[in-house]
Amino acid sequence: MNIIYKASSLAKAERKYQMKFFDAMANIGGFSEIMFFLEAGGVSEEEADAFIAEKGITEAMAAIMEAISESGFLGDMKIDMKELRQEMAETTKQVVSQNTGKASKN
């Protein structure tokens, strides 16, 4: 999946989703925000659905963050993608473990 951000594509996504870039960044864990960023990066809904089904939500979020960083929208701030992927994987494991544990206790 090739994600490429331009100011014009982000503005178009802001109008379509009625969502601001920084609000979407702050809430990137939601599906609306993920679709916002994927579509703003030139990914069709079908491609996004297939990618998430194959790679998972964590990898979709990591791909978005990497593309945002590479496109220059974060200025001089660079993201250590290896570290980010590790942190996201650990967080996902914890959430799944907590939710699974709660469900099995009921």
Side-chain angles (χ1 to χ4, degrees):
M1 182 170 59
N2 193 21
I3 306 171
I4 301 171
Y5 293 109
K6 297 183 282 186
S8 59
S9 64
L10 285 164
K12 183 178 178 180
E14 283 184 336
R15 286 188 301 274
K16 177 180 178 181
Y17 283 87
Q18 298 181 349
M19 186 181 306
K20 299 294 181 197
F21 175 82
F22 287 110
D23 292 340
M25 284 289 291
N27 297 305
I28 189 105
F31 277 103
S32 293
E33 290 79 10
I34 290 168
M35 292 304 292
F36 167 88
F37 281 113
L38 291 175
E39 286 190 43
V43 177
S44 71
E45 285 185 25
E46 294 79 16
E47 290 171 317
D49 287 341
F51 183 83
I52 292 170
E54 180 183 336
K55 301 283 186 173
I57 194 78
T58 302
E59 187 57 32
M61 289 188 293
I64 289 165
M65 294 306 297
E66 184 173 28
I68 289 170
S69 177
E70 288 178 357
S71 66
F73 284 98
L74 299 178
D76 292 338
M77 187 172 85
K78 296 296 176 198
I79 297 173
D80 181 340
M81 292 309 299
K82 183 177 179 181
E83 183 179 329
L84 177 65
R85 280 187 167 88
Q86 282 182 305
E87 289 176 13
M88 291 175 75
E90 187 60 36
T91 300
T92 302
K93 281 182 193 177
Q94 289 174 355
V95 169
V96 168
S97 176
Q98 290 172 355
N99 288 340
T100 303
K102 288 179 183 175
S104 65
K105 291 179 185 176
N106 291 333

